[in-house]
Amino acid sequence: MSHARPALRRPEGRLALALAFAAALAVFVAVFLFGRANTPDYTATLFGQADTDAVRLKAQLATGVLGLAAVQLLLALWMYGRLPGVHRVPGPVPLTHRIVGVVLFVLTVPITVHCIQAYGVQLNGSRVAVHSIAGCFFYGAFAAKVLLVRSRRLPGWALPLAGGALMVVVVVLWYTSALWYFNGNDVPLLSLG
């Protein structure tokens, strides 16, 4: 007897995965191309802050996003029974996970809008290139996760992979921006370029 989940054999599961992957790719490409076509405006403001004040504010907001992403990870582990020693999931946990996810996403929007307006998608220098590509990937991965979370016919690895990808990209974005700012415009492993 096979222990494979039925979703692996169902066309609906394969279709949901294909659509999520296609949406992720389409969103990534759209954000990337839009950012590349944008003419940077280094005077762009974020909530009235410009220059280094805007960068400081983005670093603070990104740190908030990182904290909320950690909360999301813990809530997801709790919901799916993966927290050691925790066997009961109170009713508010899934709703809290959704609310924190919405707040996290909304918090990323002004950061992204400022990044695209002020800098666009740049590929010069390792830190900037990694940050730009990760920013585009974040929205693609988010689109995929939103589509996957609604499907009931997926293989068991699909949703954790999408959520895990989001968590990793949030860490990469924080590392290449907020840590860079808080660490005097330097991060280990990436050049200053």
Side-chain angles (χ1 to χ4, degrees), residues 21 41 47 68 86 115 124 126 130 134-135 178 189:
F21 180 77
D41 175 8
F47 300 119
L68 288 174
V86 178
C115 282
N124 53 328
S126 56
V130 168
L189 304 177

Side-chain angles (χ1 to χ4, degrees), residues 27-53:
V27 170
F28 172 86
V29 168
V31 173
F32 181 85
L33 292 176
F34 181 75
R36 289 294 289 167
N38 182 61
T39 301
D41 175 8
Y42 299 111
T43 65
T45 64
L46 176 66
F47 300 119
Q49 304 295 312
D51 301 320
T52 56
D53 292 334

